[in-house]
Structure formats: structure tokens, C-alpha cells
Amino acid sequence: QVQLVESGGGLVQVGGSLRLSCAASGRAFSSYVVGWFRQAPGKEREFVAAINRSGSRTRYGGSVKGRFTISRVNAENTGYLQMNSLKPEDTAVYYCAAAASGSVLPPTRHDDYDYWGQGTQVTVSS
């Protein structure tokens, strides 16, 4: 299995940028698909982005497409989520997740992910 720890969250102004990190340990990081999800108070968990094992394929939720970029550096056992042009609606707890198996495209359902980090708070203020 793999252990995941998110970092990089915090308070940022509207229009600002933030980069989240997902540090992995345990099993080889390159064996896992990596996804990012977020959850705002009182709302369901929302798919944000995902990247396949090699980093050659990515997927994004419609609300973040064009603003967020997911990446990974397998040699460093770390995944990243670069967030630009942040809006108040982006305020949420952001979670990194890992899936041990998948299809050609990384999954978007949270039930398809096997391991989760503790989450990091992102707050976008006006």
C-alpha cells in the first residue's frame, strides 16, 4: 500500500495561485494512478483532476479545467496540483488519492481510489 500526505494549502486571494503537493511513501509511487478531489462544507466530494501512472494522460473536472494543472514526478514520489486564477468557489478541503488499478484513462469516481491523504484546506478570499 501507499501513504499519502498533502501539503501546500492555505489562504489566497481571488485570482491568486497555489500549488498543492502529495508526497507518497510505501509502495512504488509509479504503480498508482493519482487523483485530486475536493470537498466544501455541506457538499459532496468533487472530482478535480487525475493523472495516469506515467503522467502521459490527465483528466479534469469541468469547474477547474483551464485553471488547474495536475502533474507528477515519479522519481520524487510526489504529485502536484497547480491551481491558478482561484475563485471563492474553489474553497474546500483538497484530498490526494491513489488507485492501484484502472483503465486507460484515470478514474473520476472517488470509490475507484484505494488510498487517501488527510486533506489540506484551501481558502480563497475576496
Side-chain angles (χ1 to χ4, degrees):
Q1 62 182 63
V2 64
Q3 295 79 47
L4 306 173
V5 179
E6 303 98 332
S7 62
L11 177 65
V12 65
Q13 291 183 307
V14 171
S17 298
L18 210 58
R19 188 171 79 158
L20 306 183
S21 298
C22 177
S25 62
R27 190 178 175 185
F29 182 63
S30 61
S31 298
Y32 295 91
V33 172
V34 173
W36 287 92
F37 294 79
R38 67 186 184 186
Q39 189 163 24
K43 296 195 174 186
E44 293 293 307
R45 200 177 314 176
E46 178 187 12
F47 171 74
V48 175
I51 188 167
N52 70 347
R53 293 169 177 82
S54 68
S56 63
R57 290 185 177 274
T58 58
R59 301 178 76 178
Y60 296 93
S63 62
V64 307
K65 190 177 299 183
R67 299 188 297 121
F68 291 9
T69 303
I70 188 171
S71 63
R72 65 191 298 165
V73 181
N74 286 339
E76 298 178 356
N77 295 328
T78 304
Y80 299 97
L81 182 68
Q82 177 67 47
M83 305 184 294
N84 298 326
S85 302
L86 285 164
K87 306 174 181 179
E89 303 86 78
D90 296 318
T91 296
V93 176
Y94 283 71
Y95 298 92
C96 177
S101 61
S103 187
V104 174
L105 295 176
T108 62
R109 289 174 46 85
H110 62 85
D111 286 346
D112 289 329
Y113 288 82
D114 305 299
Y115 306 100
W116 294 81
Q118 82 290 344
T120 186
Q121 176 71 46
V122 172
T123 302
V124 184
S125 66
S126 58

